[in-house]
Amino acid sequence: MAKKQKKQTGGTPATVALTAAGVDYTVHSYDHDPASPSYGEEAAEALGVSPDRVFKTLVADVDGELTVAVVPVAGQLDLKALASAVGGKRATMADPTLAERTTGYVRGGISPLGQRKRLRTVLDASASTHETICISAGRRGLEVELTPTALTTLTEAVLAPIGRN
């Protein structure tokens, strides 16, 4: 069962960044099942939130530059659309070890916020159709709910249609 918690001090680098920025957010935690085949779908189910409001953070390589893509867990990342959104020619999924080392987070817990090295970020345009969305708070079993505008502002994200069903 998910637990709700309003602003906290300390926590993960993502929640620390949110608190420092003075952004309103809600932390949701749940018991992560290591056997779950999809971290995002597990989060949506545990939180009782529609999968189109829960967004996963993926790290891709666009023309040699690591780029963060934030898309609904209900769909997939369109790599061609991601490359186009940032003026690139070709995108591939980044090596998971490199993604973890660069962001400072483990796979399944990568957040677009509070990364060790700030990466260029693209948020799927569908986020703007929701009052709030949920993203990883920096570890498996921990999500943060915030407005798409707050996420876009804090990450300096480009808003583009990069997800597909």
Side-chain angles (χ1 to χ4, degrees), residues 135-151:
I135 59 169
S136 176
R139 71 171 185 258
R140 297 172 189 152
L142 195 66
E143 295 282 310
V144 56
E145 182 176 353
L146 73 169
T147 66
T149 302
L151 180 61

Side-chain angles (χ1 to χ4, degrees), residues 88-163:
K89 293 181 183 185
R90 184 170 183 271
T92 58
M93 292 307 297
D95 173 72
T97 303
L98 179 60
E100 290 179 338
R101 189 172 52 242
T102 304
T103 64
Y105 293 117
V106 297
R107 217 171 73 179
I110 294 177
S111 178
L113 299 165
Q115 296 175 353
R116 182 177 292 149
K117 178 184 178 192
R118 188 177 191 150
L119 300 175
R120 180 172 53 178
T121 302
V122 181
L123 175 61
D124 185 65
S126 69
S128 64
T129 66
H130 304 288
E131 191 174 314
T132 62
I133 60 172
C134 296
I135 59 169
S136 176
R139 71 171 185 258
R140 297 172 189 152
L142 195 66
E143 295 282 310
V144 56
E145 182 176 353
L146 73 169
T147 66
T149 302
L151 180 61
T152 301
T153 301
L154 289 173
T155 60
E156 298 178 6
V158 170
L159 203 60
I162 60 168

Side-chain angles (χ1 to χ4, degrees), residues 3 5 11 32 34-36 43 45 54 69 71 101 107 114 117 126 137 146 153 160-161:
K3 298 173 195 151
Q5 184 178 357
H32 165 63
S36 179
E45 187 175 317
V54 178
V71 296
R101 189 172 52 242
R107 217 171 73 179
K117 178 184 178 192
S126 69
L146 73 169
T153 301

Side-chain angles (χ1 to χ4, degrees), residues 62 78-91 122 158 160 162:
V62 179
D78 181 334
L79 288 165
K80 189 174 181 178
L82 175 65
S84 177
V86 294
K89 293 181 183 185
R90 184 170 183 271
V122 181
V158 170
I162 60 168

